[in-house]
Amino acid sequence: MNEQDMLAMYEKAGALLNGHFILSSGRHSARYLQSALVLMDLNNATELARELIKKVDASTVDMVVSPAIGGLVIGQEVARQLNKPFLFTERKEGEMQLRRGFSIPEGSRLLVVEDVITTGGSVRECMVVVREHGGVPVKVLAVVDRAPGVEGRFDVPYATALTLDVETYAADACPLCIDGGVPAIKPGSRGAA
């Protein structure tokens, strides 16, 4: 499967949206990728996970972790295909945490899996939690990188299946807001930034 096939998968699912969006980072954009619409088809999840696991040596990974909510479906599917335990971090009162009885054996090597990355904030928060619990993040995988030119987001290697350079704007410098045409909406999983 190549990038065009993956992009077509998003388009067919109605998951490549145009308008005025507030991203989970608080930045604004005229394009939004709603991976949940793609991943609700389990065949798509299987295919995308298959593409991601080509980018990791399974012998270097003990567990798979994802930040909730976006990374849950693809993270679990990657873990299933790698035959590794899966856990996730989630926000409680605005702070990323490891809950639900999950634990990380000291020194375990974790693969961090996300659906879409822009600034990488959720992934970095997830990695902090992994380290606080004795784990070692070894690599980040994401289905889509919507800011491929951004350097230094992570202190471990990362790879994505699809890159889509989507321009984003600080909220106070957003031309879509300045135009005043289409109101901004927040389609993601976090509350308004």
Side-chain angles (χ1 to χ4, degrees):
M1 175 180 291
N2 61 36
E3 284 199 357
Q4 291 295 31
D5 294 333
M6 287 180 254
L7 192 54
M9 185 184 287
Y10 271 79
E11 290 171 343
K12 182 178 178 186
L16 183 55
L17 310 175
N18 294 300
H20 184 185
F21 306 99
I22 303 171
L23 307 177
S24 60
S25 64
R27 295 183 64 81
H28 290 213
S29 178
R31 295 182 88 188
Y32 188 82
L33 294 148
Q34 184 58 278
S35 292
L37 294 175
V38 173
L39 297 171
M40 67 186 275
D41 180 329
L42 297 182
N43 292 320
N44 289 345
T46 299
E47 288 300 315
L48 291 171
R50 188 172 293 136
E51 290 303 312
L52 287 177
I53 64 173
K54 290 177 183 176
K55 300 173 185 295
V56 67
D57 176 354
S59 70
T60 66
V61 174
D62 300 312
M63 305 173 85
V64 177
V65 64
S66 291
I69 240 172
L72 291 179
V73 174
I74 193 64
Q76 186 167 45
E77 181 57 21
V78 165
R80 186 189 70 77
Q81 289 187 30
L82 291 175
N83 195 30
K84 305 289 181 179
F86 175 71
L87 59 146
F88 57 89
T89 60
E90 60 188 306
R91 282 188 186 77
K92 181 176 181 188
E93 298 171 7
E95 182 182 333
M96 194 68 84
Q97 300 178 15
L98 190 65
R99 302 177 64 213
R100 304 181 190 272
F102 289 141
S103 64
I104 300 172
E106 188 71 32
S108 294
R109 301 163 301 170
L110 281 89
L111 174 65
V112 183
V113 180
E114 178 67 292
D115 63 342
V116 179
I117 56 172
T118 305
T119 64
S122 294
V123 169
R124 284 191 304 275
E125 290 176 65
C126 179
M127 290 168 57
V128 166
V129 171
V130 165
R131 289 179 174 126
E132 289 172 349
H133 287 269
V136 180
V138 294
K139 190 166 190 171
V140 172
L141 295 180
V143 176
V144 181
D145 184 349
R146 71 178 156 211
V150 175
E151 303 261 339
R153 286 178 280 191
F154 312 115
D155 61 358
V156 299
Y158 74 95
T160 60
L162 174 64
T163 57
L164 187 63
D165 201 358
V166 177
E167 193 165 7
T168 66
Y169 313 97
D172 60 356
C174 174
L176 302 165
C177 290
I178 294 167
D179 286 349
V182 179
I185 61 169
K186 179 131 183 79
S189 59
R190 270 201 254 172

